[in-house]
Every structure is written in structure tokens, then in C-alpha cells.
Amino acid sequence: MTVPRVTLNDSHLIPQLGFGVFKVDPGETERIVSDALEVGYRHIDTAAIYGNEEGVGRAIAASGIARDELFVTTKLWNADQGSETAPAAFDASLEKLGLDHVDLYLIHWPTPQRDLYVESWRALETIREGGRTRSIGVSNFLVEHLERLERECDIVPAVNQIELHPYHQRRAETAYGHDHGIVTEAWGPLGQGKYPLLELDEITAAAAAHERTSAQVVLRWHLQQGHVVFPKSNSRARIAENFDVFDFELSDDEMRAITALERGERVGGDPLEIN
Ligand code: NAD
């Protein structure tokens, strides 16, 4: 199965479907990421704060897959923001991953109370110039934060990774991304299992019509809008199920019915509050 790739504004390519490892236990990460790589995933999304970069790195090393076939993302944690600390945090992540470069490095949260995201972004610009990350981006940035980077920095983020699922569709951020060439990565694409998304009539009807599962329908809804997604599961069966989404297509009516579910309801943290 070949996963479509999306072209970033720096001309690097990112596989549109990946595997996320938030809350994957560090002791189980190597096994679970190895499962994902065997199933066919070639894009892994981790973060320093997840505490499992070593396990991701071990799975990659054991896989024997050529480095240039893999896309690895990690993220700068809030406490490490700043011009002095960000480069050291980046070095530590590479060391834990056992890699000489990552494909994408993100500022995890804007943490406006710290007011360090602009200088952190300049540090990421320098890291990118050094070639040890191919691309740089942000996560959980609201339009006001993106606008400030636009005013005060040089490089436009390649991606903005934000909470996005049918109850919380982030129209302002996706429109800004569309206008400025910033790819939207949807975290919590399945709503983190925190509301009965997979049981909603609009989803189950499409699942029945296509003889697929509700999770596959929701992932199609993301993919057909151009979002990059990396659903997480510890179960090999679900890891495979979530990967098997490239041989059917939702109709315009099915897409519209799911889009109409918007409620502006977050399941995760508030980007203005997380610090
Ligand atoms: P998700 O929406 O991927 O949901 C994961 C939950 O859905 C799990 O509890 C799993 O049991 C369930 N699930 C997975 N596949 C299923 C299936 N086929 N059928 C039924 N249930 C299924 O939530 P997530 O893990 O939070 O988000 C995905 C990734 O996004 C993370 O692993 C992480 O890489 C990233 N993320 C980033 C941020 C950020 O602040 N940047 C925050 C959260 C997550």
C-alpha cells in the first residue's frame, strides 16, 4: 500500500498517514512501533514529552528500513523553549532517537505565558539551516501566534499540528494554513476516544455503506480534506485497520454530513492555557 504524500512549503514530502505515539508506554514503544512499521507505516509522530523517543529509535533501527523511506517528527517541550535551551533539547531528542536528523521538528505548544515561542522559532530556523531537521513547524498555534511568526520571523512553518476532529474543526487555523501554505496535521483525529464519535449516525451510516469501520470513515474524512493524520493505537489489529483506508472514498454528501457535526468542542488542552 502506498500512502499519498503531501508537499510541504519547503518542498519536502510528508506521508499523509502516520502513526502517533502519545501515551504509548515507553516500555512497549519499540514493539508497538515495530508493529506499525511492519504494517507499512513510514511516518512516526513522537515528542520529547512522550518519553518514548528511545523506543521509537530502537524500532526504526531494528526495522532495517532505509532512513530516507521514513518520516520522523519530534517536538520541543514547553520547558525547553528559548534560544539557549531549544538547541540542546533538539540534540537530546536526536540522541534518544539514535538518528542524525529528523524530518520535522515542532514547537509543541505556543505557551503564550512564557512568551518564548518567537525566539524558539528562530532557534528552529537555525537548526533547519544546519540540516539536522529537514522541516520545521509548530503545534497548537492559534492564528494570533502564526501571525506573530509571520511578522517577526523568516521561515513560514511547514505544518501546524492541532487538535482536529468532527466536533472541533478549527476553521480559522485551517483557513490560515490554506492561505499561507501551512499543512494542517490533525491530532486526536479520532477524538482521542473521548466522545462517542464512532457511534454517531452520520459515521455509522457511511461505514455501513462502504462496509468499513467507523474509524476508517473518520480517517477518510480527514484525508479527503488534505489533513495529515497519525492515529494512535496499541493494538496491531487497529493499527492495521487505520492504515487500510486508501481503497474507498466518501461521497460529497457523506463528507458534508460529517462536517455538519462541528460543535467547537475541544477534548484536549487549551493552547492559551497549556504552559
Ligand atoms: P486519537 O484520536 O488517535 O485516538 C486514539 C484513541 O483512539 C486510542 O484510545 C485508541 O484506543 C482509539 N482507537 C485508535 N484506533 C481505533 C480504531 N480503529 N477503532 C476504535 N478505536 C480506535 O488520539 P491521539 O493519540 O491523541 O492523537 C494521535 C496522535 O496525535 C498522538 O499519538 C500524537 O502523536 C499526536 N498528538 C499531538 C498532540 C499535540 O499537542 N501536538 C496532542 C495529542 C496527540
Side-chain angles (χ1 to χ4, degrees), residues 9 121 136-138 141 146 149 155-160 180-183:
N9 62 19
W121 184 251
I136 52 175
V138 294
F141 273 43
L146 296 168
L149 292 191
I155 298 179
V156 177
V159 310
N160 187 17
H180 293 80
I182 303 170
V183 167

Side-chain angles (χ1 to χ4, degrees), residues 71-85:
F71 192 101
V72 180
T73 301
T74 193
K75 312 184 189 92
L76 174 69
W77 184 238
N78 303 343
D80 294 321
Q81 282 201 28
S83 54
E84 301 293 320
T85 41

Side-chain angles (χ1 to χ4, degrees), residues 16-267:
Q16 202 185 356
L17 178 70
F19 185 67
V21 295
F22 178 47
K23 291 198 169 158
V24 174
D25 185 89
E28 289 193 286
T29 302
E30 181 177 352
R31 175 185 64 78
I32 291 170
V33 172
S34 296
D35 279 348
L37 294 172
E38 275 174 35
V39 163
Y41 291 80
R42 292 293 180 266
H43 166 185
I44 309 293
D45 183 271
T46 184
I49 194 66
Y50 301 168
N52 55 23
E53 289 168 311
E54 283 108 332
V56 170
R58 280 196 298 270
I60 288 172
S63 73
I65 298 167
R67 178 65 186 90
D68 63 3
E69 288 177 28
L70 293 168
F71 192 101
V72 180
T73 301
T74 193
K75 312 184 189 92
L76 174 69
W77 184 238
N78 303 343
D80 294 321
Q81 282 201 28
S83 54
E84 301 293 320
T85 41
F90 177 75
D91 289 347
S93 281
L94 273 192
E95 170 100 26
K96 287 181 179 160
L97 286 160
L99 298 175
D100 64 2
H101 74 277
V102 289
D103 297 279
L104 179 61
Y105 194 50
L106 305 181
I107 298 181
H108 206 145
W109 292 87
T111 67
Q113 299 89 337
R114 292 176 194 263
D115 195 20
L116 289 171
Y117 66 87
V118 171
E119 62 173 85
S120 300
W121 184 251
R122 294 199 184 109
L124 265 61
E125 290 180 332
T126 304
I127 293 169
R128 194 191 83 166
E129 278 163 22
R132 291 188 304 149
T133 182
R134 301 275 188 259
S135 301
I136 52 175
V138 294
S139 178
N140 299 300
F141 273 43
L142 303 179
V143 169
E144 65 197 78
H145 309 126
L146 296 168
E147 284 173 343
R148 192 153 162 226
L149 292 191
E150 188 184 352
R151 280 195 308 273
E152 299 184 31
C153 301
D154 295 327
I155 298 179
V156 177
V159 310
N160 187 17
Q161 181 179 127
I162 51 177
E163 179 186 341
L164 200 169
H165 42 80
Y167 274 7
H168 194 42
Q169 295 181 32
R170 312 301 298 272
R171 301 254 158 77
E173 290 82 5
T174 54
Y176 185 95
H178 186 263
D179 291 347
H180 293 80
I182 303 170
V183 167
T184 296
E185 295 190 331
W187 68 251
L190 302 173
Q192 295 189 321
K194 289 185 179 162
Y195 63 95
L197 173 64
L198 304 184
E199 287 153 38
L200 298 177
D201 290 346
E202 293 78 357
I203 314 277
T204 57
H210 294 276
E211 299 184 346
R212 310 305 293 241
T213 67
S214 288
Q216 290 172 322
V217 165
V218 174
L219 294 172
R220 275 306 313 173
W221 174 82
H222 284 287
L223 294 168
Q224 286 180 218
Q225 294 173 81
H227 305 157
V228 171
V229 281
F230 21 80
K232 173 253 171 184
S233 174
N234 289 346
S235 127
R236 183 163 176 137
R238 282 180 171 175
I239 291 172
E241 173 186 330
N242 295 344
F243 194 70
D244 185 18
V245 290
F246 295 104
D247 59 354
F248 76 106
E249 197 164 327
L250 300 178
S251 68
D252 290 348
D253 283 349
E254 289 166 336
M255 289 293 291
R256 269 194 291 274
I258 301 171
T259 299
L261 293 169
E262 165 72 301
R263 290 188 181 190
E265 273 179 25
R266 266 198 311 272
V267 299

